[in-house]
Every structure is written in C-alpha cells, then in structure tokens.
Amino acid sequence: MNDREASVPVITVDGPGGSGKGTIAMRLADQLGWHFLDSGALYRLVAVAAMDRGIEADDEAALGPMAQNLDVNFGISNDGMVILLDGNYITGRLRSETVSVFASRISAFPRVRAALVQRQRSFRKSPGLVADGRDMGTVIFPDAILKIFLTATAEARAERRYKQLKEKGESVNLTRLFQDIKKRDERDSNRAISPLKPASDAHVIDSTELSINEVLQIIQILLDDSMISH
Ligand code: DC
C-alpha cells in the first residue's frame, strides 16, 4: 500500500449473513459519497465461475489459480455492485442459496482468500471506502478508521433472508433457511483462516431489535467520535 492509498479512510462492516450489513454498508457509502465494496460478492463470483467451469467446491488446487485469474469487471447500480464475469452480466445469479453454500465452502481455502486480497484492497479509492464482509476489519483493512461488527440472532437473520428471497420470487422454506444459516455460521466462524469474528477494536452492534435507520444512527455517532479522534 502506498501513502496515498493509506490516507484514504475505510469503514469496515463485518458480520454474519443476514445481519443487515450489506444494506447498512451500502446506505452508509451512499450517505458519505464513498466507494463501496461487497466482498461477499467476490467469493460468490468465484463460486459462480467455478460452477460454470465444472470445478468442484473441494478442489482448492484448481480454485486458487482460477480466482487469481478471473476476467471480472465491477460497476455500481441502485441495488449494489454490478458484476461482469467473462463479459457476462452475472449479478442476478450471485444471491441464490446454491451459490451461498458453494461460496461459504470455498471461502475456507487459504489459496482462494489470498487470490482475493489485492482485488479487495484495490477498491480503496478517494474519498473513502465502506467495505462489507467477514474479515474486512481483521485482515483486509486493519487500519480502518471505524470497524463495525453487526450481528443478529440466527432466527432474525433467517426471517430477513426468507423475506428477501420471497420478494425475488424464489421458492424458500424458512426452516431450511434457518438450518443453512446455522451451518454457514459454523463454517464461517470455525475455519482456520480469517474466521468470522470481530476485530479487537470493532464496535459490536446487535441489530435483532433495530431498524436499518437505527443502526445507521448508531454508526453515525461512532463515526463522528472516530473522526474527532483521528
Ligand atoms: O456476505 P455474503 O453472504 O455475500 O458472503 C458469501 C460467503 O463468502 C460467506 O459464506 C463467507 C464468504 N466471505 C468471506 O469468507 N469473507 C468475506 N470477506 C466475505 C464473504
């Protein structure tokens, strides 16, 4: 990282799937006029690329080099990041449950994670970046000016995901979603490399009983404080 990049402020929003971190991070980036990184989309993108190429989710030897050499382009729309893989628009495929499970499995491989480090850091551009994921505050941007770790109970997260998928017209089963979320939490939290855990200097916010606006208000107060102390 050069001095110019290091001077670009980063806010990290980490947490488990369904905690609301995606929506919160995007809204925050929008309010501040900063760039936005949805790092989970990168893992999902690697999953889609592997599935298209017939690479199995346990084939780390093939997944690492593939993740390193992806032909990918990013844009931004009202709904978040827009992603082109091999010139094809694949954003719509990223959020299915099949891709979620595949992405969670391959994200445990050190070679896959290593392949994505520089790509994630390259989103750090003036005037600032809001980065959402699992290890944004612990590994990718340890020098972030503000680190948020957003949680919610597995029940609340399953219900939110259920509503989201239903709105998109996917046929979903709440009990199945709940079980998938629990399994994914366990895999994401117990992997040897970059497990899902708050950075020691992160502010942990439980969003179970909070609206998006309430969470944003809390973050705004924390941000004002951190701006004063930086
Ligand atoms: O945030 P998400 O649900 O879109 O992420 C999809 C998967 O990618 C998730 O199961 C874990 C993995 N992931 C990760 O390991 N590290 C990140 N920084 C972001 C996501």
Side-chain angles (χ1 to χ4, degrees):
M1 181 170 49
N2 60 36
D3 287 351
R4 198 153 38 91
E5 281 163 351
S7 69
V8 174
V10 179
I11 298 174
T12 57
V13 185
D14 288 306
S19 60
K21 69 188 157 54
T23 311
I24 301 283
M26 210 160 65
R27 290 266 297 269
L28 189 60
D30 199 44
Q31 281 175 11
L32 295 167
W34 288 11
H35 299 278
F36 169 59
L37 166 64
D38 169 4
S39 62
L42 300 190
Y43 288 91
R44 289 171 182 273
L45 161 73
V46 174
V48 169
M51 289 158 85
D52 285 356
R53 288 160 174 74
I55 298 176
E56 300 289 334
D58 57 3
D59 190 353
E60 182 178 10
L63 288 164
M66 189 208 72
Q68 190 83 51
N69 297 309
L70 286 178
D71 169 13
V72 56
N73 284 293
F74 301 96
I76 194 94
S77 80
N78 288 341
D79 297 329
M81 269 168 55
V82 176
I83 300 184
L84 291 167
L85 175 66
D86 301 323
N88 299 313
Y89 177 82
I90 57 142
T91 320
R93 294 174 59 196
L94 293 180
R95 303 255 142 224
S96 75
E97 272 309 291
T98 323
V99 171
S100 298
V101 173
F102 202 109
S104 170
R105 289 181 62 190
I106 62 168
S107 66
F109 293 132
R111 273 188 267 183
V112 171
R113 303 201 72 82
L116 295 179
V117 170
Q118 279 318 317
R119 216 183 264 281
Q120 293 173 88
R121 291 192 177 140
S122 70
F123 280 78
R124 185 173 197 164
K125 293 210 177 91
S126 181
L129 174 70
V130 181
D132 133 31
R134 302 290 192 289
D135 60 345
M136 298 296 97
T138 47
V139 177
I140 306 296
F141 303 109
D143 62 336
I145 58 161
L146 177 65
K147 299 179 184 179
I148 304 293
F149 192 88
L150 203 58
T151 62
T153 60
E155 287 82 359
R157 290 184 285 126
E159 265 168 40
R160 288 174 190 170
R161 197 68 114 193
Y162 178 78
K163 273 196 205 145
Q164 269 176 1
L165 292 172
K166 266 231 123 133
E167 273 164 22
K168 282 194 201 148
E170 279 202 37
S171 73
V172 275
N173 172 306
L174 185 58
T175 314
R176 209 22 245 285
L177 270 181
F178 176 70
Q179 285 160 354
D180 281 354
I181 280 190
K182 295 279 276 189
K183 242 190 266 164
R184 205 138 65 89
D185 278 358
E186 211 173 283
R187 230 188 343 252
D188 292 349
S189 307
N190 294 328
R191 65 180 176 224
I193 174 170
S194 302
L196 173 65
K197 68 162 192 284
S200 56
D201 50 349
H203 300 271
V204 179
I205 303 176
D206 185 337
S207 73
T208 306
E209 304 284 339
L210 298 174
S211 68
I212 291 171
N213 280 335
E214 286 168 331
V215 175
L216 281 167
Q217 279 166 13
I218 296 172
I219 295 179
Q220 191 58 55
I221 293 167
L222 293 169
L223 183 59
D224 292 344
D225 279 355
S226 91
M227 291 288 196
I228 291 167
S229 61
H230 272 79

